[in-house]
Amino acid sequence: MTEASLLRTDAEHEANRVLFRTVHEIAVGYAGAAVPQVIAVLRRRLVDVPGLDEQGLRRIAEEISVGRDPSGL
């Protein structure tokens, strides 16, 4: 693997780690909250996350709404 691809892999890994940590924090703080409220928080905290569309946000929000932590942390 070249140095450039290792750096890119490290950056992607760090971005995923931040994403999962943020989702975990939201899950802890908003467990049981209404889906629209959780979606609003996710939108604010996860601005410009590549690959995270409305369907993905809703799925994550629904999990948090019923008290689950979809981050796996």
Side-chain angles (χ1 to χ4, degrees):
M1 209 180 257
T2 68
E3 185 175 338
S5 65
L6 284 175
L7 291 174
R8 187 172 46 251
T9 300
D10 286 346
E12 291 170 0
H13 177 73
E14 182 60 24
N16 283 335
R17 202 165 67 81
V18 169
L19 171 64
F20 282 89
R21 186 176 315 143
T22 302
V23 169
H24 174 70
E25 291 170 3
I26 294 168
V28 169
Y30 290 88
V35 171
Q37 181 183 9
V38 179
I39 288 175
V41 173
L42 288 167
R43 279 192 188 125
R44 274 195 313 271
R45 299 274 310 269
L46 301 176
V47 175
D48 297 327
V49 172
L52 192 58
D53 58 6
E54 283 300 310
Q55 183 179 355
L57 282 175
R58 174 163 287 283
R59 189 176 66 250
I60 292 168
E62 288 170 349
E63 290 288 316
I64 292 170
S65 181
V66 297
R68 294 189 195 112
D69 182 355
S71 73
L73 299 178

